[in-house]
Amino acid sequence: MKYILPLIFSLTLISTGLAWPWGSKPTPKPTPVATPQPTPKPTISGGREIVKEIGNELKSAKEENAKLKESLAAAQEKVKTAEAQTQVVQKQADDLKEWGVIQQEQAQKFMEKYNKAVKRYHRLKMIAAAIAAIVGVFIGMQFMSLAPPPYNFGVPVGAAGLFAALVWFFL
């Protein structure tokens, strides 16, 4: 342990480059300094060239302006047609919305009729199962004499349950 910590410390110094702090330092490079160039004095021929360049730029700007006017007119036409198409699409969307509302109303009416029919069906099914249970009781009373005395009261109850279950499951 005594030798491990100094060894780790020395390896850390060597690996980080701090072991040789007296190495050579980079020499600074001179930066160039911009010297101002003397501007030439304006002359008449230089002015004429400038006027020609400005005239050429003006012509090209006029041509560009004419092209931009044409493209603006075309863009305005596209905007007008897009607005017309937007109105058509809006009308179609409104018609579709109305159709959807009508469909929902019809579906709601159908669901109400269906729910009423299901309730009626279950009510009739319950009545049929009750009638079958009563018939099962009467048939069970006929066969009650065949069962031993402690179990003979279970025969009509079992027959009633059997007939009611058969009617309930098959309807």
Side-chain angles (χ1 to χ4, degrees), residues 81-102:
T81 57
E83 286 177 355
Q85 290 175 353
T86 303
Q87 290 174 353
V88 169
V89 169
Q90 184 66 35
K91 185 179 180 299
Q92 290 174 350
D94 291 340
D95 293 343
L96 186 63
K97 183 179 175 183
E98 288 178 28
W99 177 80
V101 169
I102 292 169

Side-chain angles (χ1 to χ4, degrees), residues 45 53 56 99 110 140 157 165:
S45 62
E53 289 177 8
N56 290 336
W99 177 80
F110 174 76
V157 174

Side-chain angles (χ1 to χ4, degrees), residues 8 38 51-52 78 83-84 97 111 115 119 131-132 138 145 150 158 162 165-166 171:
I8 291 174
V51 168
K52 285 181 185 178
K78 287 182 182 179
E83 286 177 355
K97 183 179 175 183
M111 286 303 294
N115 288 337
K119 287 179 184 177
I131 292 171
F138 288 130
S145 62
L162 177 71
L166 287 174
L171 285 182

Side-chain angles (χ1 to χ4, degrees), residues 14-170:
I14 290 171
S15 66
T16 58
L18 296 176
W20 303 101
W22 52 83
S24 64
K25 294 182 181 177
T27 58
K29 295 180 182 177
T31 57
V33 177
T35 58
Q37 297 289 334
T39 57
K41 293 185 178 184
T43 60
I44 294 177
S45 62
R48 287 181 185 158
E49 289 178 14
I50 291 174
V51 168
K52 285 181 185 178
E53 289 177 8
I54 291 174
N56 290 336
E57 287 179 10
L58 182 62
K59 286 179 186 177
S60 65
K62 284 182 181 179
E63 291 172 1
E64 190 68 28
N65 193 15
K67 290 179 185 176
L68 288 175
K69 283 182 182 179
E70 291 174 4
S71 64
L72 179 63
Q76 286 176 342
E77 285 297 320
K78 287 182 182 179
V79 166
K80 287 179 184 177
T81 57
E83 286 177 355
Q85 290 175 353
T86 303
Q87 290 174 353
V88 169
V89 169
Q90 184 66 35
K91 185 179 180 299
Q92 290 174 350
D94 291 340
D95 293 343
L96 186 63
K97 183 179 175 183
E98 288 178 28
W99 177 80
V101 169
I102 292 169
Q103 292 297 318
Q104 285 178 346
E105 288 174 359
Q106 290 176 351
Q108 188 70 21
K109 288 178 184 177
F110 174 76
M111 286 303 294
E112 288 175 4
K113 288 180 183 179
Y114 175 77
N115 288 337
K116 287 179 183 178
V118 167
K119 287 179 184 177
R120 192 173 342 131
Y121 168 74
H122 283 293
R123 192 177 317 121
L124 292 174
K125 189 175 175 182
M126 182 86 65
I127 293 170
I131 292 171
I134 292 170
V135 170
V137 166
F138 288 130
I139 291 175
M141 290 170 118
Q142 296 296 320
F143 292 106
M144 197 170 161
S145 62
L146 298 175
Y151 305 108
N152 59 355
F153 289 115
V155 173
V157 174
L162 177 71
F163 286 136
L166 287 174
V167 168
W168 184 264
F169 289 129
F170 286 119

